Amino acid sequence: MYIAGLYNNQVYNKKMILFIKTFLIKGFEIQFNKDDTILNIKKKIQTLKQINFNNITLINEKKILLDGMTMSDCNIANESIIIMIINKQKH
């Protein structure tokens, strides 16, 4: 397991930009709306970095973000920090 930080930088036309920094992969960014669910965010990360969305846990303010919640539900605002934990696959 390793931990990565997601840093919310700016908002463009209701879309948020998150910069994702990790120890093992080069940083990247994703765009999303406040109405996107956590599951949608995980799937966007999977598409960009081939990390199985089932192995991703997102945390904000010491709370695990549940897949059915929206970014708005989680009070994710401009310049918020989200922690991404990637769990090893079970064999």
Side-chain angles (χ1 to χ4, degrees):
M1 171 172 58
Y2 67 92
I3 298 175
L6 304 178
Y7 301 96
N8 175 352
N9 188 30
Q10 298 179 19
V11 178
Y12 297 107
N13 300 327
K14 297 184 182 177
K15 288 194 180 255
M16 297 173 69
I17 304 259
L18 291 178
F19 292 101
I20 302 170
K21 297 182 181 183
T22 71
F23 297 113
L24 300 177
I25 57 177
K26 185 177 179 179
F28 62 98
E29 64 182 54
I30 57 174
Q31 288 188 342
F32 59 92
N33 295 314
K34 287 188 122 322
D35 293 334
D36 282 344
T37 64
I38 299 304
L39 181 60
N40 290 344
I41 300 305
K42 290 178 180 182
K43 287 182 177 181
K44 287 180 182 187
I45 294 169
Q46 175 178 292
T47 300
L48 290 172
K49 293 297 174 183
Q50 292 74 49
I51 300 168
N52 188 323
F53 73 90
N54 287 317
N55 296 335
I56 297 173
T57 300
L58 300 176
I59 300 172
N60 184 44
E61 297 181 4
K62 300 180 184 180
K63 295 179 185 174
I64 294 175
L65 305 180
L66 304 176
D67 289 348
M69 298 174 75
T70 65
M71 296 302 282
S72 181
D73 293 339
C74 300
N75 297 318
I76 305 299
N78 192 33
E79 298 184 3
S80 295
I81 297 174
I82 297 174
I83 303 300
M84 180 175 72
I85 298 174
I86 300 172
N87 302 301
K88 292 182 181 179
Q89 286 185 338
K90 297 178 182 176
H91 297 285

